[in-house]
Every structure is written in C-alpha cells, then in structure tokens.
Amino acid sequence: MAGILDSKSRIMDVVITEQGRRQLASGKMKIEFATFTDAGSFYADGGNGIIEDPSSRIYFEAASDLPSDLVTLETDDAGLLVPYRADSFSAGGKNLVISGTIRDPADISGAASAISTAILESWANLQVIGTNDPLDDEQGFSLSRQVINFSIRKDFPFSQGDVKTAVIDDIESLNHDVRLSNLQNFKYLPPINGMGALAGIPLGSFPNGNETLDADRQSFESRLAGLEFADVEFIETSIENNFVMQAFELSGDDGMIKLDVIDYGLRPSAANSTLMTRTLFAGKILKDGFGNPTFVNIFTIEIS
C-alpha cells in the first residue's frame, strides 16, 4: 500500500503488505503493474464546490494486510493454495470453503462460480481509480460460451498405438521440455571456445538431450490438428482486452489444485499469418524419482 504525504519532503510512502513480504521472502516478488485507489481518502466539501483543506487533519498509515491484497488465488512451492479469503469464500491448501461449508466434491459449477465471484469481490474492494475510455463503447466482459465438454473414451483422444500411460521417470524433465525451448536458459548451449583461433568452435561433442517433439511450428500445428478443440470468442471486452485467466482442477480425491501454466510465447497464427497467437500449456508439475520437476500437459490454450 502507498500514501501520498508531504510533497516537499516525500512523494510516496510505500509499505509492503503481508502478501508482498511472502513473495519477497520466497524470491518471487516481481513488480510489473501499479494501481491507485482512494479507499483511504476522506472527501469533504469545504463550500462552493471546493474540497475542504486537509492540512489540519491527522493521517494514519494506509491500511494493509487486507483480504483484497490478494486478488487471485496463488500457490506455494509445494503447489498448495496460499490462504485466501473473501466475503463468503475461503481457500487454503487443497480445501475450499463456500459460505461456511466445505465444498461438495460433486458441485463443480458451484465451486467455479464461487471462485470467480470471490476474485471479482477482491478486485472491487480495492476501489481502484480508473478512467472510462470515451472511444471504447464496450466496458463489460462476456464470452461466447461458458461451458466446454470434451469427449474422453477408450479410443479418444488416444488412437490405437498411442502411449496411454507413462512413468514420470520416463518423461522429459523441465530442463529438457520442448515447451521451454524458446527460453534462452533452456536452449541447447554446448560450451564453445570464446577466444583465439578456435573462437566459436565447440570444446567437444556434447549430446543434445532436449525433447524434439514439436520442435518446429509445422509439427506442432499438425499434432494439435488431431486433437479435440473448442473456440471461445470475446463477445464484449475492452480495446486492450486485458484479462486474468487461471486454471483449476476440482476433484473429490485431491480437492482443488491450481494448474501450472507455461507460456510458449507468440508465433504467427496458422489461420492468418498477419495475426499472432500466444500458446499456453496448462498442466501439473510433478517430481520424478530423481527429484527433477516434470511438467505433465493437460490442456493447450491458444489466444489470438
């Protein structure tokens, strides 16, 4: 939280909230965006439509450690939900409490609705100051469909001869996963000579252990074409189309698990080369028998 103080000595006094301290301690604090709120402001009419002089008032530090400090649900290093609470909703670990009652495992739609409502409530409670764009006549947000059903049978989505089960130890770890191959730190980088007549020449022959599946766009598009898919259109949204998306798995055995998402980056759209498509992989990160994190892909999401 922050508050504007004496303009002659300090412009802004910043206080890290409990959530910020938690992220700072885990090395995951990354400031990317800023919002402003007047939730702690006091407005009084001093007469003639002029605000009352506030210089004689006593001011306290901006309130922090509020439930609304955590807008969306987050997980810790163990993959468990960080304690989260809203007006009639709370979550922690793998448990969900709605209106004081632990979630019914069979009520999937009710849990999904409660999560969305809680996030919107936390965002509204921040009382963020905003500006309506006069050139944007769409201020709401609506989608073409709310529910998507996928077919899972003995012969689909896996065909005859496909691998239907896999041992975690046999799956490529994150260090060799092709879904991270677009990042510099995960590319095949054999050591080379940096100076002298042998500059640029590899020091030796080192095997490339990276996964080769979907290593190029053509093979990637070909594999996705054989999978069942569903299109969702943004019927009503802002010009920037800024939105937050999270994926959860709800089950009776494991409770509620937030899925991990890998951002594969932007690439030209297969349908229209003038447009760019962002590919996201949603799934779970499990540890193999060697202690290496391994990503198991469940859904592939393309946004364009």
Side-chain angles (χ1 to χ4, degrees), residues 209-299:
N210 287 348
E211 185 181 8
T212 57
L213 175 67
D214 298 341
D216 59 83
R217 176 190 169 194
Q218 185 175 1
S219 61
F220 178 78
E221 297 288 356
S222 176
R223 185 178 67 83
L224 290 184
L227 301 177
E228 185 178 9
F229 67 92
D231 290 327
V232 179
E233 297 181 3
F234 295 96
I235 302 299
E236 188 178 15
T237 184
S238 62
I239 293 178
E240 295 83 4
N241 194 28
N242 292 326
F243 63 93
V244 175
M245 179 172 61
Q246 292 184 304
F248 299 92
E249 179 186 81
L250 301 171
S251 67
D253 297 331
D254 294 331
M256 176 177 171
I257 298 176
K258 182 182 176 183
L259 298 182
D260 299 294
V261 177
I262 294 179
D263 187 353
Y264 193 64
L266 292 171
R267 57 186 176 80
S269 172
N272 187 346
S273 59
T274 62
L275 300 177
M276 299 299 290
T277 297
R278 180 175 296 277
T279 302
L280 306 173
F281 299 104
K284 298 180 180 179
I285 295 181
L286 307 175
K287 285 191 175 182
D288 60 19
F290 306 98
N292 298 318
T294 302
F295 181 76
V296 179
N297 187 210
I298 300 178
F299 291 102

Coordinates of all heavy atoms in Angstrom, one line a residue, residues 209-299:
G209 N 20.2 -33.4 -25.2 CA 19.2 -34.2 -24.5 C 17.8 -33.5 -24.6 O 16.9 -34.0 -23.9
N210 N 17.6 -32.4 -25.3 CA 16.3 -31.7 -25.3 C 15.3 -32.6 -26.1 O 15.7 -33.3 -27.0 CB 16.5 -30.4 -26.0 CG 17.2 -29.4 -25.1 OD1 17.3 -29.6 -23.9 ND2 17.6 -28.2 -25.6
E211 N 14.1 -32.4 -25.7 CA 13.0 -33.1 -26.4 C 12.8 -32.6 -27.8 O 13.0 -31.4 -28.0 CB 11.7 -32.9 -25.6 CG 10.5 -33.7 -26.1 CD 9.2 -33.4 -25.3 OE1 9.3 -32.5 -24.4 OE2 8.2 -34.1 -25.5
T212 N 12.5 -33.4 -28.8 CA 12.4 -33.0 -30.2 C 11.0 -32.9 -30.6 O 10.7 -32.4 -31.7 CB 13.2 -34.0 -31.1 OG1 12.7 -35.3 -30.9 CG2 14.7 -34.0 -30.7
L213 N 10.0 -33.4 -29.9 CA 8.6 -33.3 -30.3 C 8.2 -31.9 -30.4 O 8.5 -31.0 -29.5 CB 7.7 -34.0 -29.2 CG 6.2 -33.9 -29.4 CD1 5.8 -34.7 -30.7 CD2 5.5 -34.5 -28.2
D214 N 7.5 -31.6 -31.5 CA 7.0 -30.2 -31.7 C 8.1 -29.2 -31.8 O 8.0 -28.0 -31.4 CB 6.0 -29.8 -30.7 CG 4.8 -30.7 -30.6 OD1 4.5 -31.3 -31.7 OD2 4.1 -30.7 -29.6
A215 N 9.3 -29.6 -32.2 CA 10.4 -28.7 -32.3 C 10.3 -27.6 -33.3 O 10.9 -26.5 -33.2 CB 11.7 -29.4 -32.5
D216 N 9.4 -27.8 -34.3 CA 9.1 -26.8 -35.3 C 7.6 -26.5 -35.4 O 6.8 -27.3 -34.9 CB 9.7 -27.2 -36.7 CG 9.0 -28.5 -37.2 OD1 7.9 -28.4 -37.7 OD2 9.7 -29.5 -36.9
R217 N 7.2 -25.4 -35.9 CA 5.8 -25.0 -36.0 C 5.0 -26.0 -36.7 O 3.8 -26.2 -36.3 CB 5.8 -23.6 -36.6 CG 4.3 -23.1 -36.8 CD 4.3 -21.8 -37.6 NE 2.9 -21.5 -38.0 CZ 2.6 -20.6 -38.9 NH1 3.6 -20.0 -39.5 NH2 1.4 -20.3 -39.2
Q218 N 5.5 -26.5 -37.8 CA 4.7 -27.4 -38.7 C 4.3 -28.7 -37.9 O 3.1 -29.1 -37.9 CB 5.5 -27.8 -39.9 CG 4.6 -28.6 -40.9 CD 5.4 -28.9 -42.2 OE1 6.5 -28.4 -42.4 NE2 4.8 -29.6 -43.1
S219 N 5.2 -29.3 -37.2 CA 4.9 -30.5 -36.4 C 4.0 -30.1 -35.3 O 3.1 -30.9 -34.9 CB 6.2 -31.2 -35.9 OG 6.9 -30.3 -35.1
F220 N 4.1 -29.0 -34.7 CA 3.3 -28.5 -33.6 C 1.9 -28.4 -34.1 O 0.9 -28.9 -33.4 CB 3.8 -27.2 -33.0 CG 3.0 -26.6 -31.9 CD1 3.1 -27.1 -30.6 CD2 2.1 -25.6 -32.2 CE1 2.3 -26.6 -29.6 CE2 1.4 -25.0 -31.1 CZ 1.5 -25.6 -29.9
E221 N 1.6 -27.7 -35.2 CA 0.3 -27.5 -35.7 C -0.3 -28.8 -36.2 O -1.5 -29.0 -36.0 CB 0.4 -26.5 -36.9 CG 0.8 -25.1 -36.6 CD -0.2 -24.3 -35.8 OE1 -1.3 -24.8 -35.6 OE2 0.1 -23.2 -35.4
S222 N 0.5 -29.7 -36.7 CA 0.0 -31.0 -37.2 C -0.5 -31.8 -36.0 O -1.6 -32.5 -36.1 CB 1.1 -31.7 -37.9 OG 0.6 -33.0 -38.3
R223 N 0.2 -31.8 -34.9 CA -0.3 -32.6 -33.7 C -1.5 -32.0 -33.1 O -2.5 -32.7 -32.7 CB 0.9 -32.6 -32.6 CG 0.5 -33.5 -31.5 CD 1.7 -33.5 -30.5 NE 1.9 -32.2 -29.8 CZ 1.2 -31.8 -28.8 NH1 0.3 -32.5 -28.2 NH2 1.5 -30.6 -28.2
L224 N -1.6 -30.7 -33.0 CA -2.8 -30.0 -32.4 C -4.0 -30.2 -33.3 O -5.2 -30.3 -32.8 CB -2.6 -28.5 -32.2 CG -1.6 -28.1 -31.1 CD1 -1.5 -26.6 -31.0 CD2 -1.9 -28.7 -29.8
A225 N -3.8 -30.4 -34.6 CA -5.0 -30.5 -35.5 C -5.7 -31.8 -35.3 O -6.9 -31.9 -35.6 CB -4.5 -30.5 -37.0
G226 N -5.1 -32.8 -34.7 CA -5.7 -34.1 -34.5 C -6.4 -34.2 -33.1 O -7.0 -35.2 -32.8
L227 N -6.3 -33.1 -32.3 CA -7.0 -33.1 -31.0 C -8.3 -32.4 -31.0 O -8.6 -31.5 -31.9 CB -6.0 -32.4 -30.0 CG -4.7 -33.0 -29.8 CD1 -3.8 -32.2 -28.8 CD2 -4.7 -34.5 -29.3
E228 N -9.2 -32.8 -30.1 CA -10.5 -32.1 -30.0 C -10.2 -30.7 -29.4 O -9.4 -30.5 -28.6 CB -11.4 -32.9 -29.0 CG -12.8 -32.3 -28.9 CD -13.7 -33.1 -28.0 OE1 -13.1 -34.0 -27.3 OE2 -14.9 -32.8 -28.0
F229 N -11.0 -29.7 -30.0 CA -10.8 -28.3 -29.6 C -12.1 -27.6 -29.5 O -13.1 -28.1 -30.0 CB -9.8 -27.6 -30.5 CG -10.4 -27.4 -31.9 CD1 -11.1 -26.2 -32.2 CD2 -10.2 -28.4 -32.9 CE1 -11.6 -26.0 -33.5 CE2 -10.8 -28.2 -34.1 CZ -11.4 -27.0 -34.5
A230 N -12.1 -26.5 -28.9 CA -13.3 -25.6 -28.8 C -12.9 -24.2 -28.9 O -11.9 -23.8 -28.3 CB -14.0 -25.9 -27.5
D231 N -13.6 -23.4 -29.7 CA -13.4 -22.0 -29.8 C -14.2 -21.2 -28.9 O -15.4 -21.4 -28.7 CB -13.6 -21.5 -31.3 CG -12.6 -22.1 -32.3 OD1 -11.5 -22.3 -31.9 OD2 -13.0 -22.4 -33.4
V232 N -13.6 -20.2 -28.2 CA -14.3 -19.3 -27.3 C -14.0 -17.8 -27.8 O -12.8 -17.5 -27.9 CB -13.9 -19.4 -25.9 CG1 -14.6 -18.4 -25.0 CG2 -14.1 -20.9 -25.4
E233 N -15.0 -17.1 -28.1 CA -14.9 -15.7 -28.6 C -15.2 -14.7 -27.5 O -16.1 -14.9 -26.7 CB -15.8 -15.5 -29.8 CG -15.5 -16.4 -31.0 CD -16.4 -16.0 -32.2 OE1 -17.2 -15.1 -32.1 OE2 -16.3 -16.7 -33.3
F234 N -14.5 -13.6 -27.6 CA -14.7 -12.5 -26.7 C -15.9 -11.6 -27.3 O -15.6 -10.9 -28.2 CB -13.5 -11.6 -26.5 CG -12.4 -12.4 -25.7 CD1 -11.4 -13.0 -26.5 CD2 -12.4 -12.5 -24.4 CE1 -10.4 -13.7 -25.8 CE2 -11.4 -13.1 -23.7 CZ -10.4 -13.8 -24.4
I235 N -17.0 -11.8 -26.8 CA -18.2 -11.0 -27.3 C -18.1 -9.6 -26.9 O -18.4 -8.7 -27.7 CB -19.5 -11.7 -26.8 CG1 -19.6 -13.1 -27.3 CG2 -20.7 -10.9 -27.4 CD1 -19.5 -13.3 -28.8
E236 N -17.8 -9.4 -25.7 CA -17.7 -8.0 -25.1 C -16.5 -7.9 -24.3 O -16.3 -8.6 -23.3 CB -19.0 -7.7 -24.3 CG -19.1 -6.2 -23.9 CD -20.4 -6.0 -23.1 OE1 -21.0 -6.9 -22.6 OE2 -20.7 -4.8 -22.9
T237 N -15.6 -6.9 -24.6 CA -14.4 -6.7 -23.9 C -13.8 -5.3 -24.2 O -14.4 -4.6 -25.0 CB -13.3 -7.8 -24.2 OG1 -12.2 -7.6 -23.4 CG2 -12.9 -7.7 -25.7
S238 N -12.8 -4.9 -23.5 CA -12.2 -3.6 -23.7 C -11.3 -3.6 -25.0 O -11.0 -4.7 -25.6 CB -11.3 -3.2 -22.5 OG -10.2 -4.1 -22.3
I239 N -10.8 -2.4 -25.4 CA -10.0 -2.4 -26.6 C -8.7 -3.1 -26.3 O -8.2 -3.9 -27.2 CB -9.7 -0.9 -26.9 CG1 -11.0 -0.2 -27.3 CG2 -8.6 -0.8 -28.0 CD1 -10.8 1.3 -27.6
E240 N -8.1 -3.0 -25.1 CA -6.8 -3.7 -24.8 C -7.0 -5.2 -24.6 O -6.1 -6.0 -24.7 CB -6.2 -3.1 -23.6 CG -5.7 -1.6 -23.8 CD -6.8 -0.7 -23.5 OE1 -7.9 -1.1 -23.2 OE2 -6.6 0.5 -23.7
N241 N -8.3 -5.6 -24.3 CA -8.6 -7.0 -24.0 C -7.7 -7.6 -22.9 O -7.2 -8.7 -23.0 CB -8.5 -7.8 -25.2 CG -9.2 -9.2 -25.1 OD1 -10.1 -9.3 -24.3 ND2 -8.8 -10.2 -25.8
N242 N -7.5 -6.8 -21.8 CA -6.7 -7.3 -20.7 C -7.6 -8.1 -19.8 O -8.7 -7.7 -19.4 CB -6.2 -6.1 -19.9 CG -5.1 -5.3 -20.6 OD1 -4.4 -5.9 -21.4 ND2 -5.1 -4.0 -20.4
F243 N -7.1 -9.3 -19.5 CA -7.9 -10.2 -18.7 C -7.0 -11.1 -17.9 O -5.8 -11.3 -18.3 CB -8.9 -11.0 -19.5 CG -8.3 -12.0 -20.5 CD1 -8.0 -13.3 -20.2 CD2 -8.0 -11.5 -21.8 CE1 -7.4 -14.1 -21.1 CE2 -7.4 -12.4 -22.7 CZ -7.1 -13.7 -22.4
V244 N -7.5 -11.7 -16.8 CA -6.7 -12.6 -16.0 C -7.4 -14.0 -16.1 O -8.6 -14.2 -16.1 CB -6.8 -12.2 -14.5 CG1 -6.1 -13.3 -13.6 CG2 -6.1 -10.9 -14.3
M245 N -6.5 -15.0 -16.4 CA -7.0 -16.4 -16.6 C -6.3 -17.4 -15.7 O -5.1 -17.3 -15.6 CB -6.9 -16.8 -18.0 CG -7.4 -18.2 -18.3 SD -7.4 -18.6 -20.1 CE -5.6 -18.3 -20.5
Q246 N -7.0 -18.2 -14.9 CA -6.4 -19.2 -14.1 C -7.1 -20.6 -14.4 O -8.3 -20.6 -14.7 CB -6.6 -18.9 -12.6 CG -5.7 -17.7 -12.2 CD -5.8 -17.4 -10.7 OE1 -6.9 -17.2 -10.1 NE2 -4.7 -17.4 -10.0
A247 N -6.4 -21.7 -14.2 CA -7.0 -23.0 -14.5 C -6.9 -23.8 -13.2 O -5.8 -23.9 -12.5 CB -6.2 -23.7 -15.6
F248 N -8.0 -24.5 -12.8 CA -8.1 -25.3 -11.6 C -8.6 -26.7 -11.9 O -9.4 -26.8 -12.9 CB -9.0 -24.6 -10.6 CG -8.6 -23.3 -10.1 CD1 -9.0 -22.1 -10.7 CD2 -7.7 -23.1 -9.1 CE1 -8.6 -20.9 -10.3 CE2 -7.3 -21.9 -8.6 CZ -7.7 -20.7 -9.3
E249 N -8.2 -27.6 -11.2 CA -8.7 -29.0 -11.2 C -9.5 -29.2 -9.9 O -8.9 -29.1 -8.8 CB -7.6 -30.0 -11.4 CG -8.1 -31.4 -11.5 CD -7.0 -32.5 -11.5 OE1 -6.4 -32.8 -10.4 OE2 -6.6 -32.9 -12.6
L250 N -10.7 -29.6 -10.1 CA -11.6 -29.9 -8.9 C -12.0 -31.3 -8.9 O -12.5 -31.8 -9.9 CB -12.9 -29.0 -8.9 CG -12.6 -27.5 -9.0 CD1 -13.9 -26.7 -9.2 CD2 -12.0 -27.0 -7.6
S251 N -11.7 -32.0 -7.9 CA -12.0 -33.4 -7.8 C -12.3 -33.8 -6.3 O -12.0 -33.1 -5.4 CB -10.8 -34.3 -8.3 OG -9.7 -34.2 -7.4
G252 N -12.9 -35.0 -6.2 CA -13.3 -35.4 -4.8 C -12.1 -36.0 -4.1 O -12.0 -35.9 -2.8
D253 N -11.1 -36.5 -4.8 CA -9.9 -37.1 -4.2 C -8.9 -36.1 -3.8 O -8.4 -36.1 -2.6 CB -9.3 -38.2 -5.1 CG -10.3 -39.3 -5.4 OD1 -11.2 -39.6 -4.6 OD2 -10.2 -39.9 -6.5
D254 N -8.5 -35.3 -4.7 CA -7.4 -34.3 -4.4 C -7.9 -32.9 -4.1 O -7.1 -32.0 -3.9 CB -6.5 -34.2 -5.7 CG -5.8 -35.5 -5.9 OD1 -5.5 -36.3 -5.0 OD2 -5.5 -35.8 -7.1
G255 N -9.2 -32.7 -4.0 CA -9.7 -31.4 -3.6 C -9.5 -30.4 -4.8 O -9.9 -30.7 -5.9
M256 N -9.0 -29.3 -4.5 CA -8.8 -28.2 -5.5 C -7.3 -28.0 -5.8 O -6.5 -27.8 -4.8 CB -9.4 -26.9 -5.0 CG -9.2 -25.8 -6.0 SD -10.1 -24.3 -5.4 CE -9.4 -23.1 -6.5
I257 N -6.9 -28.1 -7.0 CA -5.5 -27.9 -7.4 C -5.4 -26.9 -8.5 O -6.2 -26.9 -9.5 CB -4.9 -29.2 -7.9 CG1 -4.9 -30.3 -6.8 CG2 -3.5 -29.0 -8.4 CD1 -4.4 -31.6 -7.3
K258 N -4.6 -25.9 -8.3 CA -4.4 -24.9 -9.3 C -3.4 -25.4 -10.3 O -2.2 -25.8 -9.9 CB -3.9 -23.6 -8.7 CG -3.7 -22.4 -9.7 CD -3.2 -21.2 -9.0 CE -2.9 -20.1 -10.1 NZ -2.3 -18.9 -9.5
L259 N -3.7 -25.4 -11.6 CA -2.8 -26.0 -12.6 C -1.7 -24.9 -12.9 O -1.9 -23.7 -12.9 CB -3.6 -26.3 -13.9 CG -4.7 -27.4 -13.8 CD1 -5.3 -27.6 -15.1 CD2 -4.1 -28.6 -13.2
D260 N -0.5 -25.5 -13.2 CA 0.6 -24.6 -13.6 C 0.5 -24.3 -15.1 O -0.1 -25.2 -15.9 CB 1.9 -25.3 -13.4 CG 2.1 -25.6 -11.9 OD1 2.2 -24.7 -11.1 OD2 2.1 -26.8 -11.5
V261 N 0.9 -23.2 -15.5 CA 0.8 -22.7 -16.9 C 2.2 -22.3 -17.4 O 2.9 -21.6 -16.8 CB -0.2 -21.6 -17.1 CG1 -0.2 -21.1 -18.6 CG2 -1.6 -22.0 -16.7
I262 N 2.6 -22.9 -18.6 CA 3.8 -22.5 -19.3 C 3.5 -21.6 -20.5 O 2.7 -22.0 -21.3 CB 4.6 -23.7 -19.8 CG1 5.1 -24.5 -18.5 CG2 5.8 -23.3 -20.6 CD1 5.8 -25.8 -18.9
D263 N 4.1 -20.5 -20.6 CA 3.9 -19.5 -21.7 C 4.9 -19.9 -22.8 O 6.1 -19.6 -22.6 CB 4.0 -18.1 -21.2 CG 3.6 -17.1 -22.3 OD1 3.4 -17.5 -23.4 OD2 3.6 -15.9 -22.0
Y264 N 4.4 -20.4 -23.9 CA 5.2 -20.8 -25.0 C 5.6 -19.6 -25.9 O 6.5 -19.7 -26.7 CB 4.5 -21.9 -25.8 CG 5.4 -22.6 -26.8 CD1 6.5 -23.4 -26.4 CD2 5.2 -22.5 -28.2 CE1 7.3 -24.0 -27.3 CE2 6.0 -23.2 -29.1 CZ 7.0 -23.9 -28.7 OH 7.8 -24.6 -29.6
G265 N 4.9 -18.5 -25.7 CA 5.3 -17.3 -26.4 C 4.4 -17.1 -27.6 O 3.4 -17.8 -27.8
L266 N 4.7 -16.1 -28.4 CA 3.9 -15.7 -29.6 C 4.5 -16.3 -30.9 O 5.7 -16.5 -31.0 CB 3.9 -14.2 -29.7 CG 3.1 -13.4 -28.7 CD1 3.4 -11.9 -28.8 CD2 1.7 -13.6 -28.8
R267 N 3.6 -16.6 -31.8 CA 4.0 -17.1 -33.1 C 2.9 -16.8 -34.1 O 1.8 -16.5 -33.7 CB 4.2 -18.7 -33.1 CG 3.0 -19.4 -32.6 CD 3.3 -20.9 -32.4 NE 2.2 -21.6 -31.9 CZ 1.1 -22.0 -32.6 NH1 1.1 -21.7 -33.9 NH2 0.1 -22.6 -32.0
P268 N 3.2 -16.8 -35.4 CA 2.2 -16.4 -36.4 C 1.0 -17.4 -36.3 O 1.2 -18.6 -36.2 CB 2.9 -16.5 -37.7 CG 4.4 -16.3 -37.4 CD 4.5 -16.9 -36.0
S269 N -0.2 -16.9 -36.5 CA -1.4 -17.8 -36.5 C -1.4 -18.6 -37.7 O -1.1 -18.2 -38.8 CB -2.6 -16.9 -36.4 OG -3.8 -17.7 -36.6
A270 N -1.8 -19.9 -37.5 CA -1.9 -20.8 -38.7 C -3.1 -20.4 -39.6 O -3.0 -20.6 -40.8 CB -2.2 -22.3 -38.2
A271 N -4.1 -19.8 -39.1 CA -5.3 -19.4 -39.9 C -5.0 -18.1 -40.6 O -5.5 -17.9 -41.7 CB -6.5 -19.3 -39.0
N272 N -4.2 -17.2 -40.0 CA -4.0 -15.9 -40.6 C -2.6 -15.4 -40.1 O -2.3 -15.1 -39.0 CB -5.0 -14.8 -40.1 CG -4.9 -13.5 -40.8 OD1 -3.9 -13.2 -41.5 ND2 -5.9 -12.7 -40.7
S273 N -1.6 -15.5 -41.1 CA -0.2 -15.2 -40.8 C 0.0 -13.8 -40.3 O 1.1 -13.5 -39.8 CB 0.7 -15.5 -42.0 OG 0.3 -14.7 -43.1
T274 N -1.0 -12.9 -40.6 CA -0.8 -11.5 -40.1 C -1.1 -11.3 -38.6 O -0.8 -10.3 -38.1 CB -1.7 -10.6 -41.0 OG1 -3.1 -10.9 -40.7 CG2 -1.4 -10.7 -42.4
L275 N -1.7 -12.3 -38.0 CA -2.0 -12.3 -36.6 C -1.1 -13.1 -35.8 O -0.5 -14.1 -36.3 CB -3.5 -12.8 -36.4 CG -4.6 -12.0 -37.1 CD1 -5.9 -12.6 -36.8 CD2 -4.6 -10.5 -36.6
M276 N -0.9 -12.8 -34.6 CA 0.0 -13.5 -33.7 C -0.9 -14.3 -32.7 O -1.9 -13.9 -32.2 CB 0.9 -12.6 -32.9 CG 1.8 -11.8 -33.8 SD 2.9 -12.8 -34.8 CE 4.0 -13.4 -33.6
T277 N -0.4 -15.5 -32.4 CA -1.1 -16.4 -31.5 C -0.2 -16.7 -30.3 O 1.0 -17.0 -30.4 CB -1.5 -17.7 -32.1 OG1 -2.4 -17.5 -33.2 CG2 -2.1 -18.7 -31.1
R278 N -0.7 -16.6 -29.1 CA 0.0 -16.9 -27.9 C -0.4 -18.3 -27.4 O -1.6 -18.6 -27.2 CB -0.2 -15.9 -26.7 CG 0.6 -16.2 -25.5 CD 0.4 -15.1 -24.4 NE 1.0 -13.9 -24.9 CZ 2.3 -13.6 -24.8 NH1 3.1 -14.5 -24.3 NH2 2.7 -12.4 -25.2
T279 N 0.5 -19.2 -27.2 CA 0.2 -20.6 -26.8 C 0.6 -20.8 -25.3 O 1.7 -20.4 -24.9 CB 1.0 -21.6 -27.7 OG1 0.7 -21.4 -29.0 CG2 0.7 -23.0 -27.3
L280 N -0.4 -21.3 -24.6 CA -0.2 -21.6 -23.2 C -0.4 -23.1 -23.0 O -1.3 -23.7 -23.5 CB -1.2 -20.8 -22.3 CG -1.2 -19.3 -22.5 CD1 -2.3 -18.7 -21.7 CD2 0.2 -18.7 -22.1
F281 N 0.4 -23.7 -22.1 CA 0.3 -25.1 -21.8 C -0.1 -25.2 -20.3 O 0.6 -24.7 -19.4 CB 1.6 -25.9 -22.0 CG 2.0 -25.9 -23.4 CD1 3.1 -25.1 -23.8 CD2 1.4 -26.7 -24.3 CE1 3.5 -25.1 -25.1 CE2 1.8 -26.8 -25.7 CZ 2.9 -25.9 -26.1
A282 N -1.3 -25.8 -20.0 CA -1.8 -25.9 -18.6 C -1.6 -27.4 -18.2 O -2.0 -28.3 -18.9 CB -3.2 -25.5 -18.5
G283 N -1.1 -27.6 -17.0 CA -0.9 -29.0 -16.5 C -0.4 -29.0 -15.1 O -0.6 -28.0 -14.3
K284 N 0.3 -30.0 -14.8 CA 0.8 -30.2 -13.4 C 2.3 -30.4 -13.5 O 2.8 -31.0 -14.4 CB 0.2 -31.4 -12.7 CG -1.3 -31.3 -12.5 CD -1.9 -32.6 -11.9 CE -3.4 -32.5 -11.7 NZ -3.9 -33.7 -11.0
I285 N 3.0 -29.9 -12.4 CA 4.4 -30.2 -12.3 C 4.6 -31.2 -11.2 O 4.2 -31.0 -10.0 CB 5.2 -28.9 -11.9 CG1 5.1 -27.9 -13.1 CG2 6.6 -29.2 -11.6 CD1 5.9 -26.6 -12.9
L286 N 5.2 -32.4 -11.6 CA 5.4 -33.5 -10.6 C 6.9 -33.7 -10.5 O 7.6 -33.4 -11.5 CB 4.7 -34.7 -11.1 CG 3.2 -34.6 -11.4 CD1 2.6 -35.9 -11.9 CD2 2.4 -34.2 -10.1
K287 N 7.4 -34.3 -9.5 CA 8.8 -34.6 -9.3 C 9.0 -36.1 -9.6 O 8.2 -37.0 -9.2 CB 9.3 -34.3 -7.9 CG 9.4 -32.8 -7.7 CD 10.2 -32.6 -6.4 CE 10.4 -31.1 -6.2 NZ 11.2 -30.8 -4.9
D288 N 10.0 -36.4 -10.5 CA 10.3 -37.8 -10.8 C 11.2 -38.4 -9.7 O 11.4 -37.8 -8.6 CB 11.0 -37.9 -12.1 CG 12.4 -37.1 -12.2 OD1 12.9 -36.8 -11.1 OD2 12.8 -36.8 -13.3
G289 N 11.6 -39.6 -9.9 CA 12.4 -40.4 -8.9 C 13.7 -39.8 -8.6 O 14.3 -40.1 -7.6
F290 N 14.2 -38.9 -9.5 CA 15.5 -38.2 -9.3 C 15.3 -36.8 -8.6 O 16.3 -36.1 -8.5 CB 16.2 -38.1 -10.6 CG 16.4 -39.4 -11.3 CD1 15.5 -39.8 -12.3 CD2 17.4 -40.3 -11.0 CE1 15.6 -41.0 -13.0 CE2 17.5 -41.5 -11.6 CZ 16.6 -41.9 -12.7
G291 N 14.1 -36.5 -8.4 CA 13.8 -35.2 -7.8 C 13.7 -34.0 -8.8 O 13.7 -32.9 -8.4
N292 N 13.7 -34.4 -10.1 CA 13.6 -33.3 -11.1 C 12.1 -32.9 -11.3 O 11.3 -33.8 -11.5 CB 14.2 -33.8 -12.4 CG 15.7 -34.1 -12.2 OD1 16.4 -33.4 -11.6 ND2 16.2 -35.2 -12.8
P293 N 11.8 -31.7 -11.4 CA 10.4 -31.3 -11.8 C 10.1 -31.6 -13.2 O 10.9 -31.4 -14.1 CB 10.4 -29.8 -11.6 CG 11.9 -29.3 -11.7 CD 12.7 -30.5 -11.3
T294 N 8.9 -32.2 -13.4 CA 8.5 -32.7 -14.7 C 7.1 -32.2 -15.0 O 6.2 -32.3 -14.1 CB 8.5 -34.2 -14.8 OG1 9.8 -34.7 -14.5 CG2 8.0 -34.7 -16.2
F295 N 6.9 -31.6 -16.1 CA 5.6 -31.0 -16.5 C 4.8 -32.0 -17.3 O 5.2 -32.6 -18.3 CB 5.8 -29.7 -17.3 CG 4.5 -29.0 -17.7 CD1 3.8 -28.3 -16.8 CD2 4.0 -29.1 -19.0 CE1 2.6 -27.6 -17.1 CE2 2.8 -28.5 -19.3 CZ 2.1 -27.7 -18.4
V296 N 3.5 -32.2 -16.8 CA 2.6 -33.1 -17.5 C 1.5 -32.2 -18.1 O 0.7 -31.6 -17.3 CB 2.0 -34.1 -16.5 CG1 1.0 -35.0 -17.2 CG2 3.1 -35.0 -15.9
N297 N 1.4 -32.1 -19.4 CA 0.5 -31.2 -20.1 C -0.9 -31.8 -20.1 O -1.1 -33.0 -20.4 CB 1.0 -31.0 -21.5 CG 0.1 -29.9 -22.2 OD1 0.0 -30.0 -23.4 ND2 -0.4 -29.0 -21.5
I298 N -2.0 -31.0 -19.7 CA -3.4 -31.4 -19.8 C -4.1 -30.7 -20.9 O -4.8 -31.3 -21.7 CB -4.0 -31.2 -18.4 CG1 -3.3 -32.0 -17.3 CG2 -5.5 -31.6 -18.4 CD1 -3.8 -31.8 -15.9
F299 N -4.0 -29.4 -20.9 CA -4.7 -28.6 -21.9 C -3.7 -27.7 -22.6 O -2.7 -27.3 -22.0 CB -5.7 -27.7 -21.2 CG -6.9 -28.4 -20.7 CD1 -7.0 -28.6 -19.3 CD2 -7.9 -28.9 -21.5 CE1 -8.1 -29.3 -18.8 CE2 -9.0 -29.5 -21.0 CZ -9.1 -29.8 -19.6

